[in-house]
Amino acid sequence: MQRTAAARLSNILNTVSNSKRPLAVTNTGFQKPPRPVVGISNRMSFGIKTLGAQEAIELDKELMGSAGYSLDQLMELAGLSVAHAIYKVHPPSSGGRILILCGPGNNGGDGLVAARHLWHSGYKPTIYFPKKGKHEIFERLSTQLQGLGIPFTEDYKTALKETDHIVDAIFGFSFTGTTIRPPFDEVITAMKSSPLPKTSIDVPSSWDIEHGPPPSGPGEGFSPDNLISLTAPKHLVKYYKGRHFLGGRFCPPGLEEKYGLDLKGLYKGIDQIAELPRIED
């Protein structure tokens, strides 16, 4: 089943204040509970833990609860990380036209923020955003892009032929099931068929967060050239063989420890992203 942005945002925002797992504030800012036992299947070969859907949802809730972040802040930092990753893999000299395919959930918001940062970095982004989320943040982000003259298109087929790089910001980790509703079923099929380089945000659209690529349907055989995981990689990355980045440099140490993450020293200097080793067969 495909969750809408409104459903996901409502779930997160309504449960932040009464989360069942609050962190007690201490002199370091967070309680330090015992480190959870992490199965080897949930840790990448080079030591970084991966998250499943429920853990990713709970971590989002705590970031917007005890950690004090707003949804705007998290989208801004995530979108900035995405823009940095795209600049790394596809500098403007490789072609400045960037098509960002946005869905109605948080991934779509991250894509809109990335578009703004890419414009300021010399790119020419175009947005395909057929189903805007109902939360007012999407309207504000769209207004910001319109103020920069960034075009929105309804013709993704033509846009796919008039770009240099495709950003997949359609579905995130809240996507479950195998049914992809219009228009995104045809959009994913067209994106998959394009020979252009592609970068997916957090989750390649249509992939299952636990089990990776779908065995059938529009996303069958889809694997982007680049993936930028946000906050922490998800379980699906064990099936991913392309270039892989981690972004979202905002998780406080208390939550890193609570969720078994070990990100200390991963980011260098003021970098917003860190490239992770490829997973070999």
Side-chain angles (χ1 to χ4, degrees):
M1 179 179 63
Q2 176 182 325
R3 297 179 60 188
T4 65
R8 183 184 171 201
L9 291 171
S10 176
N11 176 61
I12 292 175
L13 296 174
N14 288 339
T15 54
V16 163
S17 62
N18 59 358
S19 174
K20 295 180 180 179
R21 299 197 300 164
L23 285 174
V25 178
T26 67
N27 60 345
T28 60
F30 297 97
Q31 180 184 7
K32 292 186 177 181
R35 182 179 293 273
V37 176
V38 179
I40 189 170
S41 62
N42 293 344
R43 190 169 289 277
M44 301 177 75
S45 60
F46 42 87
I48 297 178
K49 184 191 174 185
T50 62
L51 300 180
Q54 190 57 43
E55 281 185 301
I57 290 170
E58 291 297 326
L59 180 53
D60 259 12
K61 291 178 185 178
E62 298 208 62
L63 284 168
M64 289 188 285
S66 55
Y69 284 96
S70 68
L71 180 62
D72 292 63
Q73 286 179 297
L74 294 180
M75 277 191 179
E76 186 67 27
L77 291 168
L80 178 62
S81 298
V82 172
H84 280 223
I86 293 170
Y87 196 94
K88 182 81 170 179
V89 302
H90 189 97
S93 59
S94 297
R97 300 173 300 174
I98 306 290
L99 174 62
I100 303 179
L101 304 172
C102 295
N106 283 10
N107 258 34
D110 298 340
L112 296 179
V113 173
R116 172 162 38 80
H117 288 291
L118 289 169
W119 185 91
H120 284 294
S121 299
Y123 291 89
K124 296 179 179 179
T126 296
I127 309 296
Y128 175 73
F129 195 23
K131 292 187 177 182
K132 294 182 181 180
K134 295 181 180 179
H135 195 280
E136 52 85 25
I137 190 173
F138 295 103
E139 192 63 39
R140 288 190 284 106
L141 291 174
S142 297
T143 298
Q144 292 168 13
L145 300 187
Q146 291 163 0
L148 298 175
I150 295 174
F152 285 69
T153 182
E154 296 181 357
D155 184 2
Y156 69 87
K157 292 182 180 179
T158 298
L160 283 168
K161 298 175 183 178
E162 298 177 347
T163 191
D164 301 304
H165 193 100
I166 301 167
V167 177
D168 165 27
I170 300 174
F171 298 137
F173 62 73
S174 62
F175 175 84
T176 59
T178 57
T179 301
I180 301 176
R181 298 172 184 158
F184 296 115
D185 52 351
E186 294 185 358
V187 174
I188 291 174
T189 297
M191 174 176 62
K192 177 181 68 176
S193 301
S194 172
L196 293 170
K198 307 166 190 74
T199 296
S200 288
I201 299 177
D202 210 24
V203 176
S205 288
S206 79
W207 282 38
D208 183 272
I209 190 172
E210 309 285 346
H211 307 294
S216 60
E220 180 183 2
F222 171 56
S223 186
D225 302 274
N226 314 289
L227 174 67
I228 175 164
S229 296
L230 297 174
T231 311
K234 313 307 183 287
H235 290 344
L236 61 84
V237 297
K238 65 184 177 181
Y239 302 100
Y240 177 70
K241 305 299 181 183
R243 200 169 178 184
H244 185 196
F245 296 86
L246 182 63
R249 191 177 181 175
F250 46 69
C251 192
L255 287 181
E256 283 189 18
E257 183 167 354
K258 180 171 184 177
Y259 285 85
L261 306 176
D262 186 9
L263 307 179
K264 185 177 181 181
L266 185 64
Y267 297 100
K268 306 301 182 184
I270 60 172
D271 290 349
Q272 295 298 306
I273 57 171
E275 186 163 5
L276 302 179
R278 293 176 185 261
I279 297 177
E280 303 296 339
D281 291 322

